[in-house]
Amino acid sequence: MTPTRSRNGRRWRYGTAAVAVLTLGVASACSSSSSTPAASGSSSASASGSTSASGSTSGGSSTLSFPRSETLYTSGTAYGPPVNWNPLDTGNFATGTQGLIYEPLYLYDPIKNQYDPWLASSAEASGWQGGKYVITVRSGIKWSDGQPMTAADVAYSINLARTNAADPYSANVASVANAVASGNTVTVTFKGTPGYTEFTDYLWKAPVLPEHIWKSIPASQIATTANKNPVGTGPMTLDTANQQEVAYQTKPDWWATAALGYSFKFKYLVDVVNGSNSQELGQLTAGNIDWSNNYLPGVNMLAGAQGGNSGYTLKFYGTASQHYMLSGNTVWLEPNTTKAPMNNVNFRRALAYALNPTAIAQAVYDGIASPAGPTGLLPTLQSAGYVNSSVVSQYAATYDPAKAKAALAQSGYTGQTLTLEAPQGWSDWNTAQTVIQQELKAVGININVIEPSSNQRTADLDSGKYDLALDNNAGLDSTPWSYFQRVYQLPISAQQNAQMNWERYTSTSDWNLVQQAATINPSNTSQLDSIYSTLEKDFLQQQPEIPLWYNGVWFQGNTQYWTNYPSSTGGNQNIPAMWAGYLGSMTSVIGLAQLTPAKAS
């Protein structure tokens, strides 16, 4: 994630106790998508009337003002001014575009490992009928412009991705032959064997689009038009926006209220463009931000302070024993396997034996992030039964400096200094670099830490011009498929610019297994388990990546104005993130619907 720095000189109001407790860095690595750094803004806690300009945006820079008791303020997602509400422009759309305005057919719940029917009303698994997939579209839903949302819109959205490579979901429907609407059903046929995994991902990741609007957009512009007057089926509509924040207004006739019993208790949601960590902390503790998805190093110290009733009203997803945060993606030490000595399996296993994920996570995060398991598969996938414990116990290279030295002696390593890079300003990763450097030095591996700009670091990984790097592009998903796709995808090109196989490891047999897994019906669990167990075994033996820790789904909620935030216990065990790929695909919107006003605000 790109670092953020203030450009306009505005100071956010700091919580004085927070400043006394913590000294925070400038930037961090986290899970959400990001664009270019932007000026920080300040959210309003005013009780004055709304500056609503329903369905419009403003180019001004004045701070928006909404009734505080009716407004949820969020932050931790936007790293640039909100100017784009196109759900197909996946790297640039404003926070809330997917989830608050546009919605998918299903939501994936990684906590329960299940698909929740959303715009579709039928169970996800029931859709597979032989070699076709049948979607029952929920009736009675309207677009925010009053027109009905129908099965024709669903079929149009699938066919748009199928026929237009500019659609970011085109790969998900590569095996689709056609989607045809009839009544309230859509029948999807395939060219041959369905791409089960990729199409299933489409069902919960892709937005359903209004055909009556999208059909008028030129084919080459479907993923680039700014879509500043978005029309969706979601719980909110765009109110207004400026350089610092975007505001949405709750839609009183949201279909999910009558159909599922969900409703937003706030009238407005305002998402604020990120400032520095210290600014974000000050806004959170002062009660100007309610829902924070910023990484705040040392925030566990505030959690401890709460035990003494120190005036903080913060809520975390988990407890101290759960590291407070839900694990959101896997951070790897990524070796460039096309360069010596990283091309030697003994050297890569020496790295794995030499590094202590528990010590690294503790040193860097002081208890708010979890160490990674040897396979790197996230705890939600482990809970779902995807990690073969016998394979791990037999093949994993866990922390053992003596074994690291033995493997190093067989690796051909001659003592040369290798570079380890992470982006400048990613404060947690930069700290991790130092810890890794020390642990590798202890077994005889010499490391030079470098901190290029974020763009340069990405260019280095794209082109393979690096030795070792930190990387975290494998996040929460419903199966291990996307994880192993990122590890093993072939062929390797001169520019690996899709974040796939950045380590440039070649294993034709494992890539074939990944491709095979995509064509197996999800109901055939025994065959899928066999494939994933083999991939896990090969991963542990080959060590193309060295898993280190799980980045958290960074979340802090202030209960001064709103309560019942997502939590690892109780009735709101939903995903606590507004990040793109989370809100609108997983259960974040349900978590927002569970919020209730504080009794004394």
Side-chain angles (χ1 to χ4, degrees):
M1 172 168 295
T2 53
T4 60
R5 304 178 189 277
S6 175
R7 292 180 180 172
N8 61 8
R10 178 181 285 108
R11 288 185 177 273
W12 292 49
R13 184 157 57 90
Y14 287 75
T16 54
V19 174
V21 173
L22 297 176
T23 301
L24 299 180
V26 173
S28 64
C30 65
S31 304
S32 69
S33 64
S34 61
S35 54
T36 55
S40 62
S42 62
S43 63
S44 170
S46 170
S48 62
S50 167
T51 56
S52 172
S54 181
S56 66
T57 58
S58 169
S61 60
S62 61
T63 299
L64 308 178
S65 180
F66 293 91
R68 187 62 180 93
S69 63
E70 298 179 6
T71 306
L72 180 77
Y73 284 95
T74 65
S75 191
T77 299
Y79 281 79
V83 295
N84 183 324
W85 289 267
N86 184 341
L88 299 185
D89 193 357
T90 53
N92 298 304
F93 62 63
T95 303
T97 299
Q98 176 77 326
L100 300 184
I101 295 178
Y102 296 94
E103 299 179 296
L105 291 162
Y106 295 87
L107 299 181
Y108 175 64
D109 185 342
I111 308 301
K112 298 178 181 177
N113 187 37
Q114 67 183 30
Y115 300 96
D116 296 333
W118 206 243
L119 295 183
S121 61
S122 52
E124 180 276 330
S126 68
W128 293 110
Q129 298 179 15
K132 62 184 179 181
Y133 191 87
V134 178
I135 302 165
T136 302
V137 179
R138 198 180 295 275
S139 60
I141 299 177
K142 290 185 178 181
W143 296 104
S144 54
D145 62 0
Q147 293 204 31
M149 191 280 291
T150 68
D153 292 304
V154 174
Y156 169 80
S157 301
I158 295 171
N159 287 324
L160 180 66
R162 177 179 63 85
T163 59
N164 192 331
D167 191 305
Y169 300 97
S170 59
N172 294 90
V173 296
S175 64
V176 171
N178 201 7
V180 178
S182 177
N184 70 332
T185 65
V186 175
T187 301
V188 181
T189 54
F190 297 85
K191 300 171 185 176
T193 301
Y196 289 101
T197 302
E198 291 162 302
F199 184 73
T200 299
D201 280 354
Y202 178 89
L203 295 174
W204 63 276
K205 293 179 179 179
V208 174
L209 303 169
E211 180 181 9
H212 65 284
I213 291 175
W214 237 260
K215 67 181 180 182
S216 65
I217 301 174
S220 62
Q221 298 176 25
I222 62 164
T224 58
T225 182
N227 192 37
K228 291 191 175 183
N229 293 290
V231 172
T233 57
M236 307 196 85
T237 56
L238 177 61
D239 187 294
T240 189
N242 59 30
Q243 294 292 297
Q244 303 173 70
E245 48 207 342
V246 56
Y248 299 96
Q249 182 168 343
T250 297
K251 191 167 61 178
D253 58 348
W254 181 36
W255 64 268
T257 302
L260 301 173
Y262 296 128
S263 64
F264 285 3
K265 314 309 184 295
F266 44 85
K267 185 174 182 180
Y268 305 101
L269 185 150
V270 178
D271 188 74
V272 183
V273 172
N274 282 18
S276 70
N277 289 338
S278 56
Q279 291 170 330
E280 293 295 319
L281 179 69
Q283 289 288 284
L284 176 67
T285 56
N288 295 331
I289 293 294
D290 303 302
W291 174 306
S292 168
N293 287 134
N294 274 87
Y295 165 66
L296 300 177
V299 75
N300 56 315
M301 296 170 64
L302 292 183
Q306 289 183 93
N309 193 23
S310 302
Y312 298 110
T313 54
L314 301 187
K315 173 68 178 177
F316 303 92
Y317 182 80
T319 63
S321 63
Q322 298 168 319
H323 303 281
Y324 296 105
M325 307 292 169
L326 179 70
S327 295
N329 62 59
T330 304
V331 180
W332 294 319
L333 175 65
E334 195 153 60
N336 184 346
T337 64
T338 64
K339 297 176 64 175
M342 285 70 67
N343 61 352
N344 187 291
V345 65
N346 289 312
F347 182 79
R348 299 194 300 272
R349 287 182 67 79
L351 293 174
Y353 280 125
L355 296 174
N356 185 343
T358 300
I360 294 172
Q362 183 61 34
V364 176
Y365 294 100
D366 194 26
I368 62 172
S370 305
T375 67
L377 294 173
L378 285 164
T380 49
L381 292 177
Q382 296 175 33
S383 299
Y386 282 111
V387 176
N388 188 319
S389 58
S390 63
V391 167
V392 172
S393 63
Q394 185 174 356
Y395 297 104
T398 55
Y399 178 61
D400 189 325
K403 289 183 179 179
K405 292 177 181 178
L408 192 63
Q410 301 175 35
S411 71
Y413 176 65
T414 59
Q416 66 267 41
T417 298
L418 305 171
T419 59
L420 168 61
E421 63 181 85
Q424 183 181 35
W426 292 22
S427 57
D428 47 344
W429 286 23
N430 298 151
T431 300
Q433 285 176 284
T434 301
V435 179
I436 292 167
Q437 180 186 44
Q438 293 169 348
E439 291 194 340
L440 294 181
K441 182 179 180 180
V443 300
I445 300 174
N446 299 315
I447 295 295
N448 179 35
V449 168
I450 61 173
E451 297 177 9
S453 69
S454 178
N455 289 341
Q456 184 59 55
R457 172 259 187 181
T458 299
D460 290 347
L461 270 65
D462 281 347
S463 61
K465 296 178 180 177
Y466 74 99
D467 294 336
L468 300 166
L470 293 179
D471 177 31
N472 69 323
N473 62 39
L476 277 172
D477 216 323
S478 56
T479 72
W481 187 84
S482 64
Y483 181 90
F484 288 116
Q485 180 197 28
R486 292 184 180 278
V487 173
Y488 289 115
Q489 187 180 66
L490 295 176
I492 297 169
S493 61
Q495 292 292 319
Q496 291 285 91
N497 54 14
Q499 295 185 331
M500 299 290 184
N501 199 346
W502 259 349
E503 80 280 9
R504 296 172 171 259
Y505 185 77
T506 298
S507 173
T508 303
S509 61
D510 288 300
W511 176 232
N512 287 340
L513 285 174
V514 174
Q515 293 176 293
Q516 182 184 351
T519 64
I520 295 174
N521 192 307
S523 64
N524 192 344
T525 56
S526 60
Q527 189 173 1
L528 286 170
D529 287 346
S530 176
I531 290 175
Y532 289 133
S533 292
T534 300
L535 287 169
E536 292 166 23
K537 175 178 70 69
D538 291 350
F539 180 91
L540 294 172
Q541 288 183 311
Q542 302 157 353
Q543 213 69 70
E545 306 275 5
I546 295 88
L548 296 178
W549 71 84
Y550 299 127
N551 258 353
V553 178
W554 313 121
F555 168 75
Q556 299 84 205
N558 189 314
T559 60
Q560 184 176 351
Y561 295 97
W562 302 98
T563 61
N564 197 33
Y565 288 102
S567 172
S568 61
T569 60
N572 193 0
Q573 295 184 42
N574 294 296
I575 300 301
M578 297 283 290
W579 296 331
Y582 291 70
L583 176 63
S585 295
M586 301 186 209
T587 57
S588 300
V589 70
I590 299 177
L592 290 169
Q594 302 276 26
L595 296 182
T596 56
K599 291 182 179 179
S601 60

